[in-house]
Amino acid sequence: QDQSKMNVKVDQNAPSSDPTVFVTAYNKKRFYCFSNREPSEEEDEDGFGRDVFNEKPAADEQVLQVDAAVQNKIGKNAVIRTTLGDIHIVLEGERCPRTVENFCVHSRNHYYDNVIFHRVIKGFMIQTGDPLGDGTGGESIWGGTFEDEIHRDLRHDRPFTVSMANAGPGTNGSQFFITTVETPWLDGKHTVFGRVNRGMDIVSIIEKTPVTSDDKPKDEVKILSIDID
C-alpha cells in the first residue's frame, strides 16, 4: 500500500483539538467530563456557574430549604367562613410555627369544611375543629397529637383569642376555640396562635346561639371553609 495514504495529516490552520475524558464516580450515580477548555458560561451574580446543580447542598443550605418549605405552609391570615358569617384571624406563625402550620394545612386540605361548632359557652368561648362533632375527634397533620407552643407574650388576656383545645399537655390535634372574654386561667395550658381582628360580631352571634344541656348548639353552626393567605 501507498504509505502516504496511511499518514495522518494535520491541518496547521485548524483549531487545536480538545480531548475530553469521561470518567465515572466511585460508588456514586454520576460521571464527569474533563477537558482543557474554560467554561463558556460566566458565573451569575450569586457566584453560581456550571456544576452547581451536581453538588449536594451543604447542611446549612438544606436547613434553609426545609425552613422555606415550612414557611410556604404557614399563612399570616385566615378567614373562617361560617354559616353565620366570616371571622377574620391574624395568625402567630413566627411564634407558634407548628401550630399555625397544622391549622393552615388542615384548612387548605378542607379538613375543617362542614365541621360544626360543637361546644359553645356564653361568657367563655366557642369551640370547633372536630370532624366527629362531639369533642372526641380530630388529629394533627402529622397524625396523632403534637406538642404545645406556649409563648409568654401570647396570653388569653383579651376576648377573641384563638387557642388550641387539648386534653392535657402535648395533646394538640385539630380542635381550637375562640374566647369571648379574658380567660387568664388558660395561660400556660393552651397554645394561643391567633387573634380575631374582624368578625367579632359573628363570634358573639355564635356565642349567643341557644344550646343543649351539653353546650351543643341546637341549630348547627358550621364552618363552610377556611381561607389562608
Side-chain angles (χ1 to χ4, degrees), residues 82-196:
T82 79
T83 49
L84 294 180
D86 296 346
I87 303 170
H88 296 249
I89 297 171
V90 176
L91 301 171
E92 295 287 350
E94 291 188 3
R95 291 183 280 191
C96 306
R98 282 178 63 81
T99 306
V100 173
E101 178 185 359
N102 182 68
F103 176 79
C104 290
V105 172
H106 268 332
S107 298
R108 290 181 176 128
N109 289 341
H110 307 288
Y111 186 88
Y112 293 123
D113 292 8
N114 296 311
V115 171
I116 65 171
F117 286 83
H118 65 273
R119 187 171 178 233
V120 172
I121 301 177
K122 188 176 181 181
F124 180 24
M125 59 87 205
I126 61 175
Q127 185 171 333
T128 184
D130 176 12
L132 297 182
D134 60 7
T136 64
E139 64 178 9
S140 74
I141 60 173
W142 303 281
T145 59
F146 67 99
E147 69 280 3
D148 299 321
E149 289 184 303
I150 306 299
H151 198 286
R152 63 182 182 181
D153 294 329
L154 294 175
R155 299 180 178 275
H156 302 80
D157 56 358
R158 70 198 76 173
F160 310 114
T161 293
V162 187
S163 187
M164 290 297 291
N166 60 44
T171 59
N172 300 288
S174 63
Q175 295 187 43
F176 62 95
F177 61 91
I178 303 173
T179 64
T180 58
V181 295
E182 294 182 27
T183 54
W185 62 89
L186 300 180
D187 290 343
K189 299 177 181 178
H190 296 266
T191 300
V192 174
F193 68 95
R195 308 281 190 187
V196 176

Side-chain angles (χ1 to χ4, degrees), residues 119-122 206-219:
R119 187 171 178 233
V120 172
I121 301 177
K122 188 176 181 181
I206 297 174
E207 177 198 22
K208 294 173 184 176
T209 190
V211 297
T212 64
S213 58
D214 57 355
D215 301 318
K216 190 172 186 177
K218 293 180 179 179
D219 296 321

Side-chain angles (χ1 to χ4, degrees), residues 27-84:
N27 205 27
K28 293 182 180 180
K29 296 179 179 180
R30 65 169 62 183
F31 66 88
Y32 302 92
C33 302
F34 295 94
S35 74
N36 291 321
R37 285 175 292 181
E38 292 294 325
S40 59
E41 57 182 292
E42 297 180 356
E43 293 186 348
D44 59 24
E45 59 183 10
D46 295 320
F48 296 134
R50 68 177 188 174
D51 295 335
V52 66
F53 297 113
N54 290 334
E55 302 303 324
K56 183 179 180 180
D60 56 344
E61 293 176 331
Q62 294 183 56
V63 171
L64 288 174
Q65 290 173 357
V66 172
D67 289 345
V70 172
Q71 288 300 320
N72 287 335
K73 297 177 183 178
I74 295 178
K76 294 183 178 180
N77 302 281
V79 182
I80 302 177
R81 304 195 184 280
T82 79
T83 49
L84 294 180

